[in-house]
Amino acid sequence: MVFHYIVPPYLLEQLEQAMDDPSLRARFRQSLQHDAVLRTRRATGAAAAEPAAESGGLQRAVYDAENRTDLPGTPVRAEGEDPVQDESVNQAYDGTGATWTMFRECFGRDSIDGDGLALTSSVHYDRGYANAFWDGAQMVFGDGDGEIFGGFTGSVDVTGHELTHGVTQYTANLAYEGQSGALNESISDVFGSLAKQHNLGQSTEEADWLIGAGLFRPGVQGVALRSMKAPGTAYDDPRLGRDPQPAHMSDYIETEDDNGGVHLNSGIPNRAFYLTAAAIGGNAYDDAGKIWYETLTSGTLSETATFADFAEATQAAASELFGDDSSQLAAVTEAWQTVGVLTAESSTTPEPAESSGAKQPESGVRTESESEGLMRAAKSHLPSSNPPAPPPSKD
């Protein structure tokens, strides 16, 4: 089972090396170590594997890990119970509910597995843990290191992103490597953003198209982890480095790190979805969302699908849903052409190229050589350290 994390390992490793404060470095090192260890484990959140009751409907359970790593932890709020004093618990409860509601109301899907899976979450995982993840059975949220990242429960798009990894797991099951892995990440960004937009009642034009807005603490020079509208512009901070996501195939990053660049090259299909939604207009979770959802759940995608495979599948879905002469199909085709996955002459894609060094003016992305310091993924043999001190007060 693949564990999926909202914060890429190369970013955490960059922070571990860039921080001057030994305590902060220890927190990031601890997060990296835990993530590396978890990659070798099977999912342990057995409680999340239970289907909902026969009555159907939304079923949530939130647990408190109490700054430990045993999952799921102590039960603190179940479906239908009143809010508690712990804001993280309530945010996890609300975020999973908003994601469930979006999938149900927009796409008719009954929870993550399509069959009423109960949504289990654990908050306060570990001490100063700077990440959130889907472990194949449940959501897990850290409280952040307190300097770069705050808590991870407050961003609906983060929760939606991670739960969508579960939807992909139960449908196309895209391999988490290379282009299929970047598609896996992009699909989670797409539906994570749609969950936030649906929850806020935002149109395509009103949405910020950011993933992880609100995660950064004051003083960080950045607005989010990623921008779907303009990949490569989400942050530019002395400690974080500069957002390395490409927005076009001419800047595709060939790397063995980050599972072949899954968090990096996902900027390309992310922008394709944004362009599709912007061209269609209205609510992105309507026509554009339906095209992407139909593509994901159609059963036609290979587990090792490339960007070109996915692009052509979205064209087929748009044609099936709206017709060969529809504006929706035209929007899909133009979007994939704009990001360089499809050409104007044909529906094929060029081979992923080494970065040419030419930046896309609209996105300001870095090429591979410029982003070299951010291309290192976490390794399982990272040196051990003493447990980090508790993060500073968030007051």
Side-chain angles (χ1 to χ4, degrees):
M1 181 63 65
V2 177
F3 284 67
H4 300 278
Y5 306 87
I6 193 66
V7 181
Y10 61 79
L11 190 54
L12 289 175
E13 189 171 85
Q14 165 75 13
L15 287 168
E16 192 273 332
Q17 295 187 6
M19 302 303 292
D20 293 328
D21 186 334
S23 179
L24 287 172
R25 295 186 66 179
R27 287 179 206 140
F28 288 117
R29 186 182 306 116
Q30 189 86 341
S31 294
L32 282 163
Q33 289 172 332
H34 283 166
D35 293 353
V37 170
L38 287 172
R39 290 189 189 98
T40 68
R41 296 182 184 173
R42 295 186 61 83
T44 57
E50 299 176 1
E54 288 186 6
S55 59
L58 176 59
Q59 295 292 324
R60 289 164 288 183
V62 184
Y63 294 77
D64 186 351
E66 299 176 327
N67 300 124
R68 296 192 290 268
T69 58
D70 296 328
L71 295 174
T74 303
V76 286
R77 189 177 178 188
E79 185 61 43
E81 293 182 349
D82 292 335
V84 298
Q85 293 296 313
D86 190 330
E87 183 181 31
S88 294
V89 171
N90 297 329
Q91 289 175 337
Y93 184 91
D94 292 343
T96 52
T99 303
W100 184 96
T101 299
M102 182 272 296
F103 275 111
R104 184 67 167 185
E105 293 185 356
C106 298
F107 312 113
R109 187 173 188 84
D110 186 8
S111 194
I112 300 309
D113 65 344
D115 193 30
L117 186 74
L119 302 180
T120 300
S121 303
S122 296
V123 301
H124 304 308
Y125 179 81
D126 201 10
R127 289 190 294 168
Y129 181 65
N131 224 328
F133 62 87
W134 166 260
D135 75 353
Q138 70 160 93
M139 276 293 307
V140 180
F141 298 95
D143 292 324
D145 60 284
E147 177 72 18
I148 301 296
F149 293 105
F152 283 78
T153 54
S155 298
V156 171
D157 50 309
V158 169
T159 303
H161 171 105
E162 294 304 328
L163 290 178
T164 300
H165 279 304
V167 176
T168 300
Q169 170 187 325
Y170 282 102
T171 55
N173 197 29
L174 293 165
Y176 202 60
E177 185 175 3
Q179 289 194 13
S180 59
L183 287 169
N184 196 318
E185 278 297 323
S186 176
I187 289 165
S188 279
D189 278 353
V190 164
F191 289 100
S193 182
L194 294 186
K196 178 171 69 173
Q197 293 176 38
H198 184 263
N199 186 54
L200 295 175
Q202 292 178 331
S203 68
T204 298
E205 186 176 0
E206 293 167 332
D208 62 16
W209 294 98
L210 298 173
I211 302 299
L215 288 181
F216 290 143
R217 297 283 291 156
V220 176
Q221 297 175 28
V223 294
L225 289 173
R226 293 182 286 280
S227 169
M228 298 181 67
K229 181 177 182 178
T233 66
Y235 56 84
D236 189 354
D237 183 271
R239 297 157 296 180
L240 291 166
R242 185 177 176 185
D243 179 0
Q245 274 205 319
H248 192 276
M249 285 299 291
S250 62
D251 287 321
Y252 186 96
I253 298 172
E254 294 280 11
T255 178
E256 295 182 1
D257 293 328
D258 186 36
N259 286 80
V262 298
H263 291 94
L264 297 165
N265 295 313
S266 57
I268 297 169
N270 274 1
R271 179 153 171 78
F273 180 81
Y274 163 75
L275 291 171
T276 298
I280 294 173
N283 297 321
Y285 44 81
D286 289 333
D287 292 359
K290 287 181 173 66
I291 293 168
W292 255 245
Y293 182 78
E294 173 64 22
T295 301
L296 178 65
T297 60
S298 65
T300 63
L301 285 177
S302 164
E303 292 184 6
T304 56
T306 64
F307 288 178
D309 294 334
F310 191 84
E312 291 168 1
T314 60
Q315 289 178 307
S319 177
E320 178 69 22
L321 290 169
F322 302 106
D324 290 341
D325 297 322
S326 64
S327 59
Q328 291 88 343
L329 174 57
V332 168
T333 300
E334 184 176 359
W336 288 111
Q337 291 173 349
T338 298
V339 301
V341 171
L342 298 180
T343 66
E345 294 77 19
S346 69
S347 293
T348 60
T349 180
E351 290 295 320
E354 293 286 346
S355 176
S356 64
K359 297 189 180 76
Q360 299 300 308
E362 63 207 21
S363 66
V365 299
R366 285 189 172 213
T367 62
E368 182 179 12
S369 60
E370 292 176 305
S371 301
E372 187 176 7
L374 288 175
M375 297 301 100
R376 300 181 301 271
K379 303 296 191 299
S380 60
H381 60 271
L382 286 167
S384 60
S385 65
N386 294 325
S393 171
K394 299 176 182 178
D395 293 337

